[in-house]
């Protein structure tokens, strides 16, 4: 697990990031995209969080909850 993933998971645990708010948004110095995973398509329920660098748009992490 890298630093970005641990920051996102810690923010979810402390309620600073709500994965139930779907869509794209800026979050601190990151651009995040939150999608809902539905069992009939992905074989699991939950959320997919993709994290990008805000300045350059580089993909930093993908987190599945």
């Amino acid at each position: 697990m890298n630093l970005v993933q641990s920051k996102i998971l810690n923010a979810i645990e402390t309620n600073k990031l709500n994965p139930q708010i779907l869509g794209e948004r800026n979050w601190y110095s990151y651009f995040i995209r939150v999608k809902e995973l539905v069992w009939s398509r992905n074989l699991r329920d939950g959320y997919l969080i993709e994290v990008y660098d805000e300045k350059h748009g580089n993909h930093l992490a993908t987190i599945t909850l």
Side-chain angles (χ1 to χ4, degrees):
M1 182 181 311
N2 64 23
L3 182 64
V4 175
Q5 290 175 333
S6 62
K7 280 185 180 181
I8 297 293
L9 293 175
N10 187 28
I12 290 171
E13 289 177 6
T14 59
N15 292 326
K16 293 182 180 179
L17 177 63
N18 186 357
Q20 295 177 346
I21 301 173
L22 304 176
E24 300 175 343
R25 61 185 179 268
N26 291 325
W27 184 74
Y28 291 100
S29 62
Y30 303 108
F31 177 77
I32 63 171
R33 179 182 298 144
V34 181
K35 297 180 185 177
E36 184 175 18
L37 296 177
V38 181
W39 181 85
S40 61
R41 287 186 177 167
N42 301 302
L43 301 177
R44 70 182 300 169
D45 289 335
Y47 299 97
L48 176 71
I49 301 173
E50 297 172 323
V51 183
Y52 297 92
D53 184 13
E54 188 176 42
K55 292 181 182 177
H56 305 292
N58 297 331
H59 183 263
L60 301 175
T62 299
I63 302 163
T64 305
L65 302 176

